[in-house]
């Protein structure tokens, strides 16, 4: 149970961090930046 909670917490952190970053850039840049941030988050290392 605790392991599942830690994963959920980590995912929540990345959602908040991504939203904060996207709010600071122009709307025209947001789709590509969101894709790039997702690639970073999903990277194995």
């Amino acid at each position: 149970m605790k392991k599942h909670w830690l994963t959920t917490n980590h995912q929540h952190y990345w959602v908040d961090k991504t939203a904060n970053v996207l709010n600071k850039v122009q709307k025209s840049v947001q789709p590509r930046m969101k894709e790039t941030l997702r690639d970073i988050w999903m990277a194995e290392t």
Side-chain angles (χ1 to χ4, degrees), residues 8 13 19 39:
T8 303
Y13 167 82
D39 290 343

Side-chain angles (χ1 to χ4, degrees):
M1 179 74 164
K2 188 173 185 177
K3 186 176 183 180
H4 177 73
W5 181 83
L6 292 174
T7 303
T8 303
N9 192 33
H10 181 75
Q11 290 172 343
H12 185 258
Y13 167 82
W14 271 101
V15 169
D16 286 346
K17 183 65 81 174
T18 299
N20 290 340
V21 170
L22 292 176
N23 284 332
K24 300 293 182 184
V25 298
Q26 296 176 354
K27 295 232 184 256
S28 62
V29 178
Q30 288 180 2
R32 177 70 177 127
M33 184 164 290
K34 184 177 181 181
E35 182 180 324
T36 302
L37 290 169
R38 185 180 308 122
D39 290 343
I40 293 169
W41 174 56
M42 298 297 288
E44 208 164 305
T45 60

